[in-house]
Amino acid sequence: MNFPFKPVKTAVIGCGMISEIYFKNMVQVFNVLDVVGCADLVPERAKAKAEKYGIRYMTNEEIYNDPEIELVVNLTY
């Protein structure tokens, strides 16, 4: 379905246990979101999610400073 708007550039901070269902839904179900990157305190977790979902591995600072990212999903506790 085509919508009359541009998907929201989104990044995720926190790639732990709960993140899998979020990534799956945000990337595969909700076409209103364009997930472009992810970060985690454990770089290996973020790198694995980035590779799995075809997005960029980023640091928190890179996410905060990227002017194209419009929404940050915080999955940290």
Side-chain angles (χ1 to χ4, degrees):
M1 174 186 280
N2 290 332
F3 291 100
F5 54 82
K6 189 173 69 166
V8 178
K9 296 275 186 196
T10 305
V12 175
I13 295 178
C15 297
M17 294 176 61
I18 193 70
S19 70
E20 183 60 30
I21 192 64
Y22 281 86
F23 276 104
K24 183 177 178 187
N25 285 319
M26 289 189 303
V27 172
Q28 298 172 355
V29 177
F30 299 111
N31 58 2
V32 68
L33 300 176
D34 179 13
V35 181
V36 297
C38 64
D40 194 277
L41 287 176
V42 179
E44 294 76 27
R45 287 196 300 218
K47 288 175 185 175
K49 293 294 184 195
E51 185 175 324
K52 181 174 182 175
Y53 289 100
I55 59 177
R56 280 181 50 207
Y57 159 72
M58 304 173 79
T59 65
N60 287 4
E61 291 76 23
E62 288 173 323
I63 289 173
Y64 301 145
N65 293 316
D66 188 323
E68 296 204 355
I69 293 176
E70 302 169 284
L71 174 70
V72 177
V73 177
N74 180 0
L75 299 181
T76 66
Y77 53 88

